[in-house]
Amino acid sequence: MATTALRGTPVETTGDLPTVGDVAPDFVLAGADLTDVPLKHGTRLVLNIFPSIDTGVCAQSVRRFNELAGDLDNTEVICASEDLPFALKRFCGAEGIDNVVAASSFRSTFGEDYGVTLAEGTMRGLLARSVVVIDEEGTVLHTELVPDISQEPDYDAALAALS
């Protein structure tokens, strides 16, 4: 198990993020339109993982990755949470989010497979704020579990992994 925090209070996850150099676990998330969003090979991938689109920091991370995704070649950005696809669709429509794929893990084992399900605390069952960068062959290039869920991820580190 890994440990993050929620406003300074330690919170454990159900596992650990994949290790850099390992093959990324396969997944199938639910898109905002309820279609399957699988791990694809042949393109680079940034997974922006967060607890809920209805919190300020989570919403900001989706907005920021949406801005950054417009300048990334051969790279897809998936913003993943336990939110229902309907909430993700509402947010993305209202915010004009169109450079990233918003996807829900509500009907998959994604959180456990990536070690990011919060195991305790008031947000248990939601996903811990983290980032995973995967190359075209499915190899993990970068991972980050933020020190505190109330913080945004390190966008520069995620982009540097794509260089």
Side-chain angles (χ1 to χ4, degrees), residues 15-162:
D16 293 300
L17 284 166
T19 302
V20 171
D22 283 355
V23 174
D26 281 331
F27 62 80
V28 178
L29 299 169
D33 60 359
L34 296 174
T35 59
D36 288 347
V37 177
L39 172 63
K40 296 181 218 168
H41 296 286
T43 186
R44 301 181 306 175
L45 175 64
V46 176
L47 291 171
N48 172 37
I49 305 164
F50 55 93
S52 176
I53 198 67
D54 288 321
T55 67
V57 177
C58 297
Q60 181 55 33
S61 74
V62 172
R63 288 184 197 106
R64 183 67 181 132
F65 272 115
N66 186 64
E67 292 170 9
L68 296 169
D71 295 328
L72 300 175
D73 293 326
N74 192 36
T75 304
E76 181 176 54
V77 177
I78 297 177
C79 296
S81 73
E82 278 284 326
D83 290 305
L84 290 176
F86 314 111
L88 296 169
K89 183 176 184 176
R90 173 189 42 78
F91 175 83
C92 291
E95 295 280 332
I97 303 293
D98 55 9
N99 292 326
V100 301
V101 175
S104 173
S105 64
F106 86 105
R107 60 181 176 203
S108 75
T109 59
F110 175 82
E112 289 77 26
D113 297 343
Y114 276 75
V116 295
T117 300
L118 295 168
E120 58 189 15
T122 59
M123 295 179 74
R124 70 184 170 278
L126 297 178
L127 305 181
R129 185 175 324 286
S130 47
V131 175
V132 178
V133 179
I134 303 167
D135 73 9
E136 297 93 330
E137 288 79 39
T139 303
V140 176
L141 300 176
H142 167 78
T143 64
E144 176 193 13
L145 176 64
V146 296
D148 194 293
I149 294 167
S150 64
Q151 298 173 327
E152 291 182 59
D154 186 342
Y155 304 105
D156 293 335
L159 294 180
L162 295 168

